[in-house]
Amino acid sequence: MRYEMMLPHQIRAAIAANTPVVLPLGVLEYHGEHMAVGMDTLAVTRALDLLEQEAEIVILPPFYYGAASYAVEPPEGTGSVQVDSTALHLFARELFTGLMRVGFRNIHAFIHHQTENFATGMPTDLAFKFGARQAIFAFLEKTRGEGWWGDAKMAGYYAHQAWGSDPFNWIKIHPLMTRETIDQYPFDHAGEGETSLMLALCPEAVDMEKRDTERWYTASAHDASAETGARGRGLILAHMRRMLGLPPRD
């Protein structure tokens, strides 16, 4: 279900069922001459398009305006849009606060940009993680009052930490590709891995005739194929199902 198309009774039903609510999170960044600047976000949105066909999930409108940085290329004429992480953090905090006020307690964001170091974190995912934590703390203090964690009703907190009932599990940020996925699939920037993924998920975002050989990071794109991308797509969907608590597929 697309959140912007839901009627109030459908929203209330999703809240009652604790349906996963998913934010596609990404950037607008130069990916060589042969690929669309929205690649990082499109990888998430197109994977969710497929997941939506098999499972009950709520998909929020995608957020494209992450911290792309200009590390790859200057923005002039290349299309990269950089939004500082300090602004992202404030946006994330308000967004997550709003979603919790609606009633959602099973909120997820998936991001592809700069996630090879996800355990350490990079500006966009860190901003959204920090915003989520701040939103949860403020929401709990507002709704439960000061001293909520020290209340006797929270005595089982540590034993139940892994459960969805732990309020700090209400919002989770995930990489689109885990370390396990990266070990099985080429992880790069606009090379074989990402180009293949777009050929499998969003072929209209690729024009192989425009591929250049001058930039080191696009050199391997000539090895890209939809078949390789389909393998990556399968790994991604399996990971998303696990993170959202959905049944695995054969």
Side-chain angles (χ1 to χ4, degrees), residues 100 132-158 160-161 164-170:
M100 285 188 293
R133 283 294 180 260
Q134 283 195 313
I136 291 170
F137 268 111
F139 184 82
L140 289 169
E141 188 166 309
K142 181 178 180 180
T143 56
R144 299 185 183 182
E146 294 181 351
W148 65 269
W149 189 86
D151 189 272
K153 289 183 291 187
M154 295 298 295
Y157 172 78
Y158 289 113
H160 301 159
Q161 237 180 331
S165 57
D166 176 2
F168 296 105
N169 285 326
W170 290 350

Side-chain angles (χ1 to χ4, degrees), residues 105-176:
R105 300 291 185 269
N106 191 8
I107 303 165
H108 302 260
F110 283 91
I111 180 171
H112 180 57
H113 180 65
Q114 295 178 332
T115 50
E116 66 273 23
N117 294 311
F118 191 77
T120 304
M122 293 295 264
T124 303
D125 57 269
L126 286 174
F128 275 77
K129 289 176 186 175
F130 186 35
R133 283 294 180 260
Q134 283 195 313
I136 291 170
F137 268 111
F139 184 82
L140 289 169
E141 188 166 309
K142 181 178 180 180
T143 56
R144 299 185 183 182
E146 294 181 351
W148 65 269
W149 189 86
D151 189 272
K153 289 183 291 187
M154 295 298 295
Y157 172 78
Y158 289 113
H160 301 159
Q161 237 180 331
W163 298 4
S165 57
D166 176 2
F168 296 105
N169 285 326
W170 290 350
I171 305 171
K172 295 181 179 180
I173 316 297
H174 312 282
L176 190 67

